[in-house]
Structures are given as structure tokens and as C-alpha cells.
Amino acid sequence: MNHAKAFTIKGIMTLAVLSLVMGLGFRISAESIAIVAVLLGAISYGAGDMAILHKTSNLTTSAAELALTFILVLSVVIWFEGLDGGIAAPAALISALMIAVGEYFFHFYIIRKKLGAANKKSSHHS
């Protein structure tokens, strides 16, 4: 149940940021936003929150998730929306930066709830 709650929190945060930045800011379709949110949630929760976080630091994991978000948003916006890099890159960068900040704080929740391998690493995540 803790994973379901954590995944829901992450999903709401991700969808809110993507809707605000991509939808309202750049008028990117709801379908593209949904594709990014689902892919990002699945990849970053499994790889970032459950694996990388507990082998590195919070800052390193947040940076990795920033890169993942940037690449994923950029790819989806170019491929599915047909927009060029001049529009896709700012949408990807702003989305990635905002999500990375949210992820930094979300990682404290993951660590506190001892999800994944959280109990295998000491509390020096920063």
C-alpha cells in the first residue's frame, strides 16, 4: 500500500507540473502530457526512486531524474506534437527543472517511509 500511495503522490505532482508547463505554458496536447506522465512515472519511480536513490544521494538522483525528464519531454514533444526544438527544448527544460525540485522533496518521503532499498542506506541523502 505504501508504494501505491507514493506512486499516486508522484503521479499527481508530475501531472500537475506537466499540465501547467506543457499544457498551459506551451499548449501541448493532453495526450502528449499523459504519455510523458505515464512513462516518466514508471521509469523514474522504478529506476530513480527505488534504485538510484538508495545507491547515491538525493541530489544525484534528482539530477538523474532531471535529465530523464528533459529527454522524455523533448522526445515526446518533437515526435508526437511535431514541434521543433526551439519550442520543445524550453518546454522540456522548464518541466524538468520543476519536476526535479519536486522530486528532491519527494525523495525524503521515500526515505522516511523506507520504500525500496531505503533501509539499506544510511540517512546521509542530500
Side-chain angles (χ1 to χ4, degrees), residues 10-90:
K10 181 182 188 84
I12 291 169
M13 186 249 330
T14 301
L15 197 54
V17 169
L18 294 176
S19 295
L20 177 69
V21 175
M22 294 173 65
L24 294 177
F26 290 89
R27 305 232 185 256
I28 293 169
S29 72
E31 292 82 9
S32 290
I33 293 168
I35 290 167
V36 172
V38 168
L39 290 174
L40 187 59
I43 296 167
S44 73
Y45 189 76
D49 302 330
M50 294 296 108
I52 297 171
L53 177 61
H54 309 297
K55 294 178 182 168
T56 65
S57 68
N58 188 351
L59 191 58
T60 300
T61 305
S62 297
E65 291 182 322
L66 182 145
L68 171 67
T69 302
F70 179 79
I71 291 166
L72 193 58
V73 170
L74 186 67
S75 299
V76 168
V77 170
I78 289 172
W79 292 338
F80 292 98
E81 297 289 317
L83 300 175
D84 65 33
I87 295 172

